[in-house]
Amino acid sequence: MELNTKKDYEQLLMKILEPVRGMLEQNISMPCAGSSAAWYSDAACGAETFSRPLWGLVPYWRGGGDKDGLAELYRRGIATGTDPKSKGYWGECGDCDQRYVEMAAMAYGILAVPEVIWEPLSDKTRSDFSRWLWQINTHEVCDSNWRFFRILVNTALKHVGEKYSKERLDEDLSRFDDFYLGDGWYMDGPQHQKDYYISMAIHFYSLIYASFEDDSYARKFRERAALFAEDFIYWFADGGRALPYGRSLTYRFAQAAFWSSCVFADVLPFDISVIKGMISRHLEDWMSAPIFDNGGVLTIGYRYQDLIMAEHYNAPGSPMWGLKVFAVLALPESDPFWNADNAPMPELDQVHLMLRADMLVQRAGGEVYAYPGGTHDSLGCGQIPAKYLKFVYSTKFGFNVKYSDLSVSEACGDNMLVFDVGGVFCERRFNYSFSLNEAGLVINWSPMRGIRVRTEIIAGTGNDCEVIHRRIHTIDSDFDCMAYDGGFAVACRDNDVFRCGIEGNTAWAENRFSECRVSSDSGGGVPMTVAAAPNTNLLYNKTVIPTVKYRIHKGRNIIETVVEAK
């Protein structure tokens, strides 16, 4: 698939949304996309599946797309979902309710296409709709990017002359000054993760706000987005793939939604052709992966359907949050974006230090390798250590999530030092401190009580397509145990032409498009290859991890491992 014209983008959106019509016709306000569950109620799941297609439909309608058909179904759905007497009522909300997330897409519609989402509604439905939305002002929202859901709702209500809360609006807008770290980076509330929520949530919503408001916050949001872009571009490989890192990766092409919101808000930190190239290649890359089920519905997973990697808030309709990337469809056919070429990536530094993101990024062979300091708190929503606490993340190799703690194969310790303590396999869990510079990182951490680790990572490069890094682990243990230092997970599917082996102190694995070698440099390690549990790697459903096994004695141990990737 090649994306260039506006028609190409529109056709892709309609292809992704093709199953939605049937879902709505079966249940107008609570369509069903699948049979799995999330932590929230069935009513909230239904509201989610209803609302998330709007992230693509709203800009499509604003840009001149067909306002019949699905638009009428959505007006009927709003009338049903907001009527307290209807069986399809979305329900009354409480504190930190999932339905506040879904209100944001509806508010986007009221702001961008009131002639579709608001004005044709009956007086009763407008009253029901505004009353249902107003609930977000009478309860608490999560102290994070969620505050933007309330910002968008209140801004939308204000724009159509309905009652809104200026007090809540001012409170939420000012809160993002508290979250702001500098250089375009925010932290997502009290949680310290620096992940895609900064781009696909905080910046995305702030630029939507800035497109409809002209105040000091709108100007600040534009300036911060332009600064953020200078770092965020380093998360994208030359071929369009974005760095698999952090949570909510099932939203897939929302990874590029920031660039679409920049174009929508006329914030152009790079040439328009460079931005278009990133968005187009990103979507083309995703469309080459088996991310739809046999009914055409976006699945939960990453490069394939996979519930193992999911968070507890991923319901069957959740992946359609990725449709935010289609914000560019709001642009008219005459906009320079549609006439621009899909330019390649600009020349970027081979090594880039992101101090605000707590991350060192390398580029080799057009791919991205990121070394994060790592963050971990009480956010227990699924596979958090794997998503934030690997030593390095890569657009080429992806990463594995844990299947169980019962064996080294199920611990799936790619780019981790995994400890075997009495048959229980433990990865990094407690992250005490870290420091980083352009040469590498030093991390102080622990997998469990009784084991303390200082890991020094020295990052280097070989030729244009090779990256090499050395790990020096100083381990203070209260007992004897084993440790496994894993490299990159190498795909070993039937058509990958896979091979692996042991040579001296080195374990290696290769296929037709990648290779990893892991060597014990000191500490008496034994090289081995670990066949990871299937469906644990985000990119490839079968992988092997070259690994070095070390015997850890009670007291202080120093081991060194060298990891090479091509």
Side-chain angles (χ1 to χ4, degrees):
M1 149 170 281
E2 184 175 344
L3 294 172
N4 190 35
T5 67
K6 185 175 184 181
K7 185 177 180 181
D8 294 337
Y9 275 70
E10 288 177 333
Q11 288 178 339
L12 176 57
L13 174 66
M14 290 299 104
K15 177 185 175 183
I16 295 171
L17 290 180
E18 189 173 344
V20 171
R21 179 184 296 275
M23 294 180 202
L24 291 170
E25 288 172 345
Q26 287 186 354
N27 192 327
I28 194 64
S29 65
M30 295 187 189
C32 178
S35 58
S36 59
W39 69 266
Y40 36 89
S41 68
D42 290 346
C45 284
E48 176 184 75
T49 304
F50 175 88
S51 73
R52 296 205 170 185
L54 289 171
W55 290 115
L57 284 169
V58 165
Y60 170 74
W61 290 329
R62 183 178 175 88
D66 178 20
K67 295 182 177 64
D68 298 325
L70 279 174
E72 175 56 29
L73 288 174
Y74 267 89
R75 288 190 288 270
R76 285 174 48 204
I78 290 168
T80 302
T82 60
D83 181 356
K85 296 181 180 179
S86 167
K87 290 182 179 179
Y89 179 48
W90 291 321
E92 300 299 300
C93 303
D95 290 344
C96 299
D97 198 296
Q98 177 66 26
R99 282 163 283 206
Y100 301 146
V101 183
E102 314 319 324
M103 287 180 182
M106 301 180 201
Y108 183 36
I110 294 171
L111 281 169
V113 283
E115 72 280 8
V116 177
I117 293 295
W118 181 260
E119 292 165 5
L121 303 178
S122 68
D123 291 344
K124 177 187 181 302
T125 297
R126 284 200 295 269
S127 175
D128 287 343
F129 194 10
S130 60
R131 187 206 67 82
W132 186 76
L133 291 171
W134 177 259
Q135 293 179 91
I136 201 170
N137 289 315
T138 61
H139 295 90
E140 293 305 309
V141 299
C142 298
D143 189 25
S144 64
N145 71 88
W146 278 47
R147 285 181 176 267
F148 255 116
F149 306 149
R150 196 158 56 197
I151 289 171
L152 292 179
V153 166
N154 278 306
T155 303
L157 291 173
K158 181 180 74 170
H159 272 244
V160 292
E162 293 291 310
K163 180 179 75 168
Y164 75 99
S165 173
K166 185 178 186 305
E167 180 183 5
R168 285 292 204 185
L169 188 56
D170 292 343
E171 168 197 331
D172 292 330
L173 285 166
S174 66
R175 187 67 171 132
F176 285 94
D177 283 342
D178 299 333
F179 296 161
Y180 188 62
L181 299 171
D183 299 326
W185 284 89
Y186 294 86
M187 60 179 183
D188 189 14
Q191 288 136 217
H192 297 286
Q193 278 92 347
K194 318 292 173 52
D195 53 27
Y196 282 106
Y197 274 93
I198 312 306
S199 64
M200 69 185 180
I202 293 176
H203 276 298
F204 182 89
Y205 301 134
S206 70
L207 290 174
I208 297 301
Y209 176 86
S211 299
F212 296 98
E213 295 290 299
D214 184 18
D215 56 19
S216 61
Y217 283 106
R219 292 188 285 275
K220 255 191 295 199
F221 291 152
R222 290 172 177 273
E223 292 166 3
R224 291 171 181 176
L227 286 172
F228 175 76
E230 295 176 14
D231 271 349
F232 190 53
I233 193 171
Y234 280 86
W235 285 32
F236 287 79
D238 289 358
R241 191 170 293 181
L243 181 70
Y245 171 72
R247 64 191 179 99
S248 293
L249 292 174
T250 198
Y251 301 151
R252 296 184 174 103
F253 28 85
Q255 292 169 322
F258 168 76
W259 302 114
S260 294
S261 64
C262 282
V263 178
F264 178 78
D266 197 28
V267 174
L268 302 177
F270 301 101
D271 187 88
I272 191 73
S273 63
V274 169
I275 297 176
K276 184 180 179 184
M278 279 193 286
I279 299 170
S280 295
R281 287 189 299 273
H282 186 70
L283 282 168
E284 288 165 3
D285 178 67
W286 276 116
M287 291 306 109
S288 70
I291 59 176
F292 301 93
D293 67 17
N294 57 12
V297 179
L298 275 169
T299 58
I300 298 171
Y302 195 62
R303 294 292 292 188
Y304 57 93
Q305 185 173 5
D306 184 11
L307 284 174
I308 299 174
M309 58 76 64
E311 287 87 20
H312 70 305
Y313 52 79
N314 294 159
S318 297
M320 287 188 284
W321 219 51
L323 298 175
K324 291 175 171 183
V325 73
F326 288 98
V328 291
L329 284 178
L331 306 174
E333 190 81 48
S334 59
D335 191 273
F337 180 85
W338 300 117
N339 296 315
D341 295 327
N342 288 321
M345 294 288 279
E347 186 174 341
L348 298 171
D349 295 335
Q350 190 178 27
V351 177
H352 184 73
L353 184 63
M354 296 186 194
L355 286 174
R356 301 292 187 182
D358 306 325
M359 180 181 287
L360 176 67
V361 177
Q362 289 181 320
R363 301 182 71 84
E367 302 290 345
V368 178
Y369 297 84
Y371 303 81
T375 54
H376 186 234
D377 56 26
S378 59
L379 185 67
C381 56
Q383 303 287 4
I384 290 300
K387 292 168 183 175
Y388 293 95
L389 298 177
K390 305 278 188 181
F391 295 131
V392 58
Y393 293 82
S394 164
T395 51
K396 188 68 174 177
F397 295 90
F399 68 88
N400 292 54
V401 295
K402 189 174 185 176
Y403 192 75
S404 85
D405 60 7
L406 298 179
S407 70
V408 67
S409 293
E410 294 190 345
C412 303
D414 64 299
N415 288 310
M416 278 185 154
L417 184 63
V418 176
F419 289 84
D420 172 6
V421 182
V424 178
F425 290 78
C426 311
E427 73 280 355
R428 178 165 32 148
R429 182 72 191 279
F430 306 101
N431 220 52
Y432 299 127
S433 65
F434 60 84
S435 60
L436 69 164
N437 56 40
E438 291 186 347
L441 301 84
V442 175
I443 308 166
N444 293 292
W445 60 279
S446 171
M448 60 179 292
R449 288 182 180 178
I451 300 177
R452 298 161 300 283
V453 186
R454 179 188 187 271
T455 295
E456 181 180 3
I457 298 174
I458 302 170
T461 57
N463 59 40
D464 182 54
C465 294
E466 184 181 42
V467 292
I468 305 171
H469 71 272
R470 178 183 297 272
R471 305 170 187 170
I472 305 170
H473 306 290
T474 302
I475 303 164
D476 290 301
S477 179
D478 291 350
F479 32 77
D480 294 341
C481 58
M482 305 300 296
Y484 298 82
D485 206 357
F488 292 93
V490 177
C492 63
R493 301 161 300 180
D494 289 358
N495 63 347
D496 288 328
V497 193
F498 174 80
R499 299 190 311 136
C500 66
I502 307 297
E503 295 175 1
N505 66 342
T506 299
W508 60 272
E510 67 178 20
N511 56 33
R512 58 187 170 81
F513 55 86
S514 64
E515 177 184 356
C516 178
R517 301 176 68 85
V518 180
S519 305
S520 171
D521 216 26
S522 69
V526 178
M528 60 186 295
T529 54
V530 176
N535 306 316
T536 53
N537 186 274
L538 270 66
L539 302 187
Y540 314 108
N541 56 25
K542 292 175 68 177
T543 56
V544 165
I545 306 168
T547 300
V548 177
K549 177 181 179 179
Y550 295 95
R551 184 173 295 279
I552 305 302
H553 301 284
K554 182 178 180 180
R556 173 156 291 188
N557 304 255
I558 299 176
I559 60 176
E560 294 189 31
T561 308
V562 176
V563 180
E564 304 173 63
K566 296 182 182 179

